[in-house]
Amino acid sequence: MLYQSTTDSSVRITAAEAIARGVAPDGGLYVPESIPQLSHGEIANLIPKPYHKRAAYIMGLFLDDFSEQELDEFTSQAYSSPAFSHPGIAPVNSLDENTFFLELWHGPTSAFKDMALQMLPRLLTASLKKNGEPRDVCILVATSGDTGKAALEGFKDVPGTKIIVFYPKDGVSDIQELQMTSQSGDNVSVVAVEGNFDDAQTGVKTIFSDIGFAEKLDQHGVFLSSANSINWGRLVPQIAYYISAYCDLVRSDTIKLGDKINFCVPTGNFGNILAGYYAFKMGLPINKLICATNRNDVLADFFHSGIYDKQRVFHTTISPSMDILISNNLERLLFDLSGKNSSEVSGYKEALSKTGRYDVSEIIHSKAAELFPSGRASEEDTRKTISEVFEKHGYLMDTHTAVAYKVLQDYRAETADSTVAVVVSTASPFKFCDSVLDALGKTSTQRGAELINILAETTNQPIPAPLADMGTKTARFRDFVTIGEMKKAVSDFLGVNSFN
Ligand SMILES: *Cc1c(COP(=O)(O)O)cnc(C)c1O
């Protein structure tokens, strides 16, 4: 199967090339030329299998330049103990007879980014080998918290790779910062940047587009690449957990094979829910993919109106991983819904960069609105939802998952749709202790790792293994640079003199 670009109809490359390149030279995103179909018989075969076997099978349908043996090896290494602390890897937990949580946070960094970032380094290094790439790769990341740590854990000590993560000094939680600065591994570096997340991201983009710097690195046998969610290698592992959740619900006799279910997804960059869309296109019986946003509701507005308008106030919320105004992966949905019309997609992108908005065709809007009901949750709703669900069911959610649960409740009240629904749970509540304690009415004056123990005592919930010893961790990386000094930080890390 070959891959094409959302904005250039002439491109046809292999999966290995798409993964190694990340983004097309003109800024387009790589998508599979056709969507492989999954029959009910194939789903039935996956039901008795463990998570890593299900994942290998599903990824194999998209990555046919990888052998079955390779994918079996990669998934059995990626989705295993002790990196994942739950034997189900991505278990489905029931709240009541038609509401379930798909918990994607039992990996090494306690957020759903691990599902993809435990696989990406394996897919990327194998891709480089397939492509005959002689150079080492250096992954450059700007993070607002979850991606940086998950990428560090994924790439640490992977031969042929190095990784440097930049985070905004005052833009991440204490726990997120300590998780990153205490990172182990011989090929990693973590640097705090003066400024906010956008500044750090702009700094990284500037380094990526510095041709002279790329040539210098090339002479040293290194090239730069990215681990963010526009890489196909990050999306394809995510398709697997939608199908795995369906298998689990059939296995537990909650549904019969063929019954349709709903998923409700807390959404930021549109990567997670887009993987659900690909599962739907493969033939997984999905009724609705409910798109949940926080106060940064550009996507909820888009699905309601057909207008994507990023010109609005950016809110910093208690669900920071959804604080996004440009949802990059939406482009892949538009491409598919337009009947693969790359000039139409290019037009929308151009309008977005020139005017800050675009208005999709009526055909795209009606198809999108039909499959993707959407809603938003306020900060107050989110906090209330956490405490209500904990009091009523004893189930503790993080702030992102709570946004999705609240939006699902609203959707059910509006539509009377009682289809079995799976809320995609994206982070452990222990990653956002301060906000979760606040929601429970137990606001604490303590900071950082102390809060983990306080939340555990307050709720009697187990601390995820990767966060249990945070109190004993010390920072290994203390570099603090200005935006202008970021390139020098990369040069120093790679042992390359940036000035000649
Ligand atoms: C990244 C993230 C999200 C948003 O996922 P997208 O793929 O960007 O839509 C939601 N919740 C958590 C905890 C995350 O880390």
Side-chain angles (χ1 to χ4, degrees):
M1 178 194 297
L2 294 180
Y3 284 73
Q4 58 189 133
S5 158
T6 49
T7 51
D8 177 354
S9 57
S10 69
V11 170
R12 289 296 179 281
I13 59 173
T14 64
E17 286 165 335
I19 291 168
R21 290 184 200 177
V23 185
D26 70 343
L29 305 187
Y30 294 119
V31 289
E33 224 179 356
S34 61
I35 307 291
Q37 294 301 297
L38 189 69
S39 68
H40 289 186
E42 285 170 286
I43 298 175
N45 286 338
L46 293 175
I47 290 171
K49 297 205 163 121
Y51 187 83
H52 70 91
K53 288 275 186 195
R54 292 173 179 172
Y57 184 81
I58 293 152
M59 284 190 247
L61 298 174
F62 287 94
L63 308 177
D64 56 7
D65 45 343
F66 288 69
S67 71
E68 205 181 309
Q69 193 195 342
E70 271 179 304
L71 291 172
D72 263 341
E73 186 188 311
F74 297 162
T75 57
S76 62
Q77 290 165 352
Y79 302 125
S80 65
S81 168
F84 281 79
S85 57
H86 193 291
I89 306 297
V92 175
N93 213 322
S94 89
L95 190 74
D96 56 43
E97 68 279 2
N98 68 349
T99 313
F100 296 81
F101 288 98
L102 168 59
E103 295 179 347
L104 301 177
W105 42 264
H106 294 283
T109 76
S110 307
F112 98 97
K113 304 290 193 289
D114 290 327
M115 299 304 297
L117 282 162
Q118 285 295 300
M119 267 311 282
L120 179 66
R122 296 176 166 88
L123 293 175
L124 179 61
T125 48
S127 295
L128 298 180
K129 221 178 262 169
K130 285 180 204 297
N131 301 342
E133 172 62 67
R135 296 169 296 178
D136 283 354
V137 59
C138 176
I139 305 292
L140 223 56
V141 180
T143 184
S144 58
D146 291 336
T147 298
K149 178 62 182 178
L152 287 162
E153 276 298 314
F155 280 97
K156 79 167 177 205
D157 294 331
V158 173
T161 76
K162 287 183 188 273
I163 175 166
I164 180 164
V165 171
F166 294 98
Y167 70 92
K169 178 71 187 154
D170 299 314
V172 300
S173 79
D174 293 354
I175 292 171
Q176 285 176 319
E177 178 170 36
L178 186 57
Q179 272 190 309
M180 289 189 278
T181 56
S182 62
Q183 178 66 44
S184 64
D186 290 336
N187 64 337
V188 306
S189 183
V190 177
V191 180
V193 175
E194 188 181 87
N196 61 26
F197 170 65
D198 280 335
D199 297 328
Q201 175 126 59
T202 305
V204 162
K205 282 189 185 159
T206 307
I207 298 172
F208 272 126
S209 57
D210 186 331
I211 295 169
F213 191 50
E215 280 167 4
K216 168 143 278 262
L217 294 180
D218 185 53
Q219 287 160 17
H220 285 78
V222 186
F223 73 103
L224 300 176
S225 187
S226 146
N228 66 20
S229 72
I230 49 187
N231 192 317
W232 179 252
R234 264 192 68 177
L235 270 182
V236 72
Q238 297 180 172
I239 300 169
Y241 52 70
Y242 285 90
I243 296 164
S244 176
Y246 190 89
C247 289
D248 282 354
L249 290 175
V250 177
R251 190 168 60 183
S252 64
D253 280 333
T254 306
I255 55 169
K256 289 193 304 297
L257 183 56
D259 289 351
K260 288 186 176 179
I261 63 172
N262 292 340
F263 284 95
C264 185
V265 188
T267 303
N269 212 6
F270 208 72
N272 196 349
I273 196 168
L274 182 74
Y277 177 73
Y278 286 120
F280 165 78
K281 291 285 282 187
M282 291 173 80
L284 189 72
I286 291 176
N287 176 44
K288 301 286 180 191
L289 288 163
I290 303 162
C291 175
T293 71
N294 64 21
R295 281 180 82 195
N296 295 296
D297 52 2
V298 61
L299 281 169
D301 283 350
F302 168 71
F303 285 111
H304 287 128
S305 67
I307 299 168
Y308 194 96
D309 189 349
K310 70 164 176 128
Q311 299 158 285
R312 57 183 71 212
V313 177
F314 176 90
H315 299 287
T316 301
T317 73
I318 55 172
S319 43
S321 304
M322 299 161 70
D323 292 346
I324 258 177
L325 291 183
I326 303 181
S327 299
N328 282 300
N329 271 302
L330 189 64
E331 180 176 332
R332 286 181 161 117
L333 179 72
L334 300 181
F335 181 71
D336 206 62
L337 295 180
S338 71
K340 307 195 167 199
N341 187 334
S342 49
S343 55
E344 189 176 339
V345 173
S346 301
Y348 297 145
K349 280 179 85 167
E350 208 177 300
L352 186 66
S353 73
K354 282 203 182 123
T355 67
R357 58 170 270 163
Y358 57 80
D359 191 343
V360 295
S361 72
E362 191 40 46
I363 300 174
I364 292 187
H365 179 222
S366 62
K367 284 190 208 162
E370 170 67 24
L371 181 61
F372 294 92
S374 60
R376 62 183 71 77
S378 69
E379 301 283 271
E380 197 188 318
D381 285 343
T382 306
R383 281 190 280 263
K384 219 168 112 201
T385 302
I386 291 173
S387 73
E388 278 175 6
V389 170
F390 185 64
E391 267 165 39
K392 184 159 175 223
H393 301 274
Y395 187 77
L396 189 65
M397 290 181 290
D398 91 290
T399 45
H400 304 76
T401 308
V403 166
Y405 183 75
K406 167 65 179 154
V407 169
L408 173 65
Q409 277 183 313
D410 290 349
Y411 166 79
R412 281 175 164 167
E414 265 164 45
T415 61
D417 177 357
S418 59
T419 306
V420 166
V422 175
V423 175
V424 176
S425 175
T426 49
S428 160
F430 284 91
K431 228 177 156 167
F432 300 94
C433 291
D434 47 353
S435 304
V436 173
L437 279 166
D438 216 27
L440 298 173
K442 310 274 181 189
T443 308
S444 171
T445 53
Q446 301 274 9
R447 290 193 65 195
E450 279 299 311
L451 291 173
I452 294 176
N453 293 325
I454 296 172
L455 183 60
E457 281 156 23
T458 306
T459 60
N460 215 6
Q461 300 287 304
I463 302 172
L467 297 175
D469 61 351
M470 286 306 288
T472 66
K473 295 261 156 110
T474 49
R476 208 186 135 196
F477 298 100
R478 296 170 185 283
D479 286 354
F480 181 32
V481 303
T482 62
I483 304 297
E485 292 165 341
M486 286 171 67
K487 181 170 149 191
K488 179 164 187 310
V490 177
S491 306
D492 289 350
F493 174 53
L494 295 174
V496 177
N497 181 341
S498 59
F499 299 108
N500 61 37

